[in-house]
Amino acid sequence: AAGVIQSPRHLIKEKRETATLKCYPIPRHDTVYWYQQGPGQDPQFLISFYEKMQSDKGSIPDRFSAQQFSDYHSELNMSSLELGDSALYFCASSSGGEPSTDTQYFGPGTRLTVL
Amino acid sequence: AQTVTQSQPEMSVQEAETVTLSCTYDTSENNYYLFWYKQPPSRQMILVIRQEAYKQQNATENRFSVNFQKAAKSFSLKISDSQLGDTAMYFCAFMKAPRGYSTLTFGKGTMLLVSP
């Protein structure tokens, strides 16, 4: 079965640079979530999109922005990177229509290292 | 706001034995979902099992089963016949229902080590 695709898998940036993370949800999934997982921590919700509209917002810094495109893929844009942004960034997708598909399926994550 | 508590930072079990991981949560919602995800060394987040709060029957997936006690707000995971591949961090997670775009709130995780 098709899974959530994230790219790149690994990314190394310098402080104050920008980064763009991409997420391709499971086919026919209309909802995308972004989570940030720091070392030794649980995933923290950043932002989500349902049918290309922002549906919820968590602890996402103002330096970060995201959007969902017409093909349902999503991009997380991160500017003025700081050392503390080093983390594993997960994208998850679900189908918001039917209750039985509320389950979020996670991609493999993008490991961002800020030097 | 919802909170999820996993009181066991680490647990260990031998192959073929049974182990139970604990999870409690706090919410004022009446309709919600609970999940267990595992995160092996690869760091992939893998769904283990899901429980709808309105269902009294405990969910089961092969060797994995839950003990869902809604009144006590408890949601434990039992792993039977433990295998080396079960070694992973296990996260308990809560999601409000019924809309599909509700977010997940995770516990801090329990690291499970399965030894030969």
Side-chain angles (χ1 to χ4, degrees), chain A residues 54-65:
Chain A
Q54 181 181 308
S55 53
D56 204 352
K57 195 171 182 181
S59 50
I60 184 170
D62 292 341
R63 301 177 288 108
F64 294 6
S65 65

Side-chain angles (χ1 to χ4, degrees), chain A residues 11-78:
Chain A
L11 192 58
I12 299 175
K13 291 288 185 178
E14 299 279 342
K15 281 196 308 183
R16 292 180 289 278
E17 286 190 325
T18 61
T20 297
L21 279 55
K22 297 184 178 182
C23 169
Y24 297 86
I26 292 171
R28 292 180 296 282
H29 278 193
D30 51 17
T31 309
V32 167
Y33 313 78
W34 287 97
Y35 293 86
Q36 177 192 59
Q37 186 180 29
Q41 298 186 1
D42 56 297
Q44 295 294 313
F45 170 69
L46 293 177
I47 195 166
S48 63
F49 293 88
Y50 170 62
E51 282 291 347
K52 293 156 278 185
M53 299 288 288
Q54 181 181 308
S55 53
D56 204 352
K57 195 171 182 181
S59 50
I60 184 170
D62 292 341
R63 301 177 288 108
F64 294 6
S65 65
Q67 58 181 323
Q68 186 179 31
F69 294 85
S70 58
D71 63 352
Y72 294 100
H73 95 272
S74 178
E75 294 183 6
L76 177 65
N77 298 293
M78 311 160 72

